[in-house]
Amino acid sequence: MVLRFAQLKTPEGERRLVAIDNSRRARRVEVADTLYELAQVAIRVDATLSEAAQARPLGETQDFDAALAEGRVLPPIDHPDPAHLLMTGTGLTHLGSAESRDQMHKAALAHQAGADEPLTDSRRMFLMGVAGGKPPAGEVGVQPEWFYKGDGSQLVGPGQPLVSPAFAEDGGEEPEIAGVYIVGPDGTPYRLGYCLANEFSDHVVERGNYLWLAHSKLRNAALGPELLTGRLPEEIHGASRIIRDGKVAWEQPFLSGEGNMSHALANLEHHHFKYDLFRRPGDLHVHFFGAATLSFASGFQTQEGDVFEIEAPPFHYPARNTLVRAPATVTTIKSL
């Protein structure tokens, strides 16, 4: 049985960690009230998350659908100190990802006809991944594009708004799978599982200049309600849609899973955790594995109030969030 884990609050405000089975039955985990606590227990007793969760019989059934409808479901992972949850990602990792990114950045190059047409940096990096992103066992493959999104304060849970800064030029969805990790007491990274995700970005800023990619990524990011344990399927077929005024305004299928990627997940993990900085005991990491489908690439312009909805088996529940624009603020720098 593949267990999924989710976090919620009771109507009285108490935290609960629940295990969700294949039939969508959600039961309370008795050994811990948060996924972070359960992960620490699993490391301590050298067990999987599922084994640690079932060391004591699972408790009473929770009405998870009601909790979702009432806005009581939390992100599937969080840290008591949000500064110790790092959100990062890799791009140009999917076989369908290069075309939209290439078109976004091609305008910055002098256009030449025929075979002499220059390659954008996006296309070059994608081709590097195709050639060396899935190395033989025991070897290290080519490193992917990498970016930083923020800490745990930027993490958005089910039904919560994705807030676009007042200075943003765009707020667009990126349907992805994210890996969730905890760093053990000895510095060993442990993968907890996978979440459906919306790696929300500013594509207009990115299109303006590829060197602005870092700016475009410093935004909220959303996770779906559940963390999936075990092995991620090779083939994931999902759908990404935008709902406006109660109607589907844009929709497109997307593919993920290693079978549709130019990089192996193990290669992406290696190139993230090779840095000592990312092996600090107790830290959590949410790492986005890349997207192949964007509404922006098809010419769709999002607007405040749009609802992003991303779904894909084997995840039971979609990632659903509303686009909101933050009010303008003025930051004054003071000298001491």
Side-chain angles (χ1 to χ4, degrees):
M1 179 177 63
V2 177
L3 281 183
R4 298 154 174 84
F5 291 97
Q7 302 187 123
L8 55 81
K9 286 188 176 182
T10 67
E12 296 73 34
E14 297 179 349
R15 288 194 63 143
R16 293 283 188 271
L17 176 65
V18 299
I20 305 173
D21 62 23
N22 293 339
S23 63
R24 302 197 184 199
R25 184 186 184 193
R27 298 176 64 187
R28 181 179 179 181
V29 174
E30 298 287 355
V31 299
D33 289 327
T34 69
L35 187 58
Y36 184 67
E37 293 171 356
L38 180 64
Q40 292 174 314
V41 170
I43 292 172
R44 189 164 57 247
V45 301
D46 192 24
T48 67
L49 282 179
S50 295
E51 290 168 345
Q54 297 176 91
R56 291 165 55 185
L58 296 175
E60 61 186 4
T61 299
Q62 307 288 308
D63 191 339
F64 192 73
D65 288 338
L68 266 178
E70 296 166 9
R72 292 188 284 107
V73 175
L74 305 170
I77 187 68
D78 56 1
H79 193 289
D81 180 357
H84 286 278
L85 188 156
L86 301 178
M87 295 200 303
T88 55
T90 49
L92 296 167
T93 54
H94 284 63
L95 297 175
S97 64
E99 191 61 35
S100 58
R101 292 283 295 277
D102 190 50
Q103 291 299 321
M104 286 165 60
H105 305 145
K106 188 169 288 184
L109 294 174
H111 187 79
Q112 299 176 16
D116 293 330
E117 181 179 334
L119 293 177
T120 65
D121 284 341
S122 291
R123 177 67 69 176
R124 291 174 58 211
M125 180 157 290
F126 171 73
L127 293 175
M128 289 169 66
V130 171
K134 293 184 175 180
E139 297 184 18
V140 175
V142 66
Q143 61 186 357
E145 175 190 50
W146 182 96
F147 54 83
Y148 173 67
K149 281 202 66 71
D151 62 18
S153 65
Q154 295 284 76
L155 181 61
V156 170
Q160 297 177 345
L162 282 164
V163 180
S164 187
F167 55 78
E169 297 184 47
D170 173 55
E173 86 298 337
E174 295 201 15
E176 306 192 16
I177 306 297
V180 178
Y181 307 84
I182 187 172
V183 182
D186 64 351
T188 299
Y190 292 85
R191 185 191 316 106
L192 305 184
Y194 305 94
C195 293
L196 199 56
N198 185 344
E199 194 268 290
F200 182 65
S201 300
D202 188 331
H203 300 109
V204 171
V205 164
E206 180 189 352
R207 182 181 61 183
N209 190 308
Y210 188 62
L211 295 180
W212 287 341
L213 176 73
H215 287 280
S216 76
K217 295 296 186 181
L218 289 173
R219 300 290 188 269
N220 284 164
L223 295 181
E226 68 210 283
L227 177 128
L228 176 70
T229 61
R231 183 176 176 82
L232 189 71
E234 285 279 317
E235 295 279 339
I236 293 179
H237 296 250
S240 178
R241 64 182 63 92
I242 297 173
I243 301 169
R244 180 176 294 170
D245 298 327
K247 299 178 181 180
V248 176
W250 179 90
E251 183 172 16
Q252 202 168 94
F254 72 91
L255 300 174
S256 193
E258 274 195 9
N260 296 296
M261 296 175 66
S262 53
H263 283 264
L265 295 180
N267 192 52
L268 302 181
E269 292 172 338
H270 166 80
H271 285 295
H272 178 70
F273 287 108
K274 68 184 180 184
Y275 295 100
D276 293 344
L277 171 66
F278 298 146
R279 299 196 305 274
R280 186 169 55 191
D283 279 4
L284 292 173
H285 291 256
V286 176
H287 191 76
F288 299 88
F289 293 136
T293 300
L294 311 173
S295 65
F296 180 81
S298 61
F300 186 86
Q301 180 62 55
T302 61
Q303 63 185 39
E304 187 170 10
D306 285 350
V307 177
F308 301 114
E309 187 174 81
I310 299 168
E311 62 181 7
F315 298 95
H316 287 333
Y317 300 94
R320 187 182 291 116
N321 305 87
T322 302
L323 173 60
V324 172
R325 179 172 286 273
T329 59
V330 176
T331 300
T332 301
I333 310 302
K334 297 183 178 180
S335 179
L336 294 178

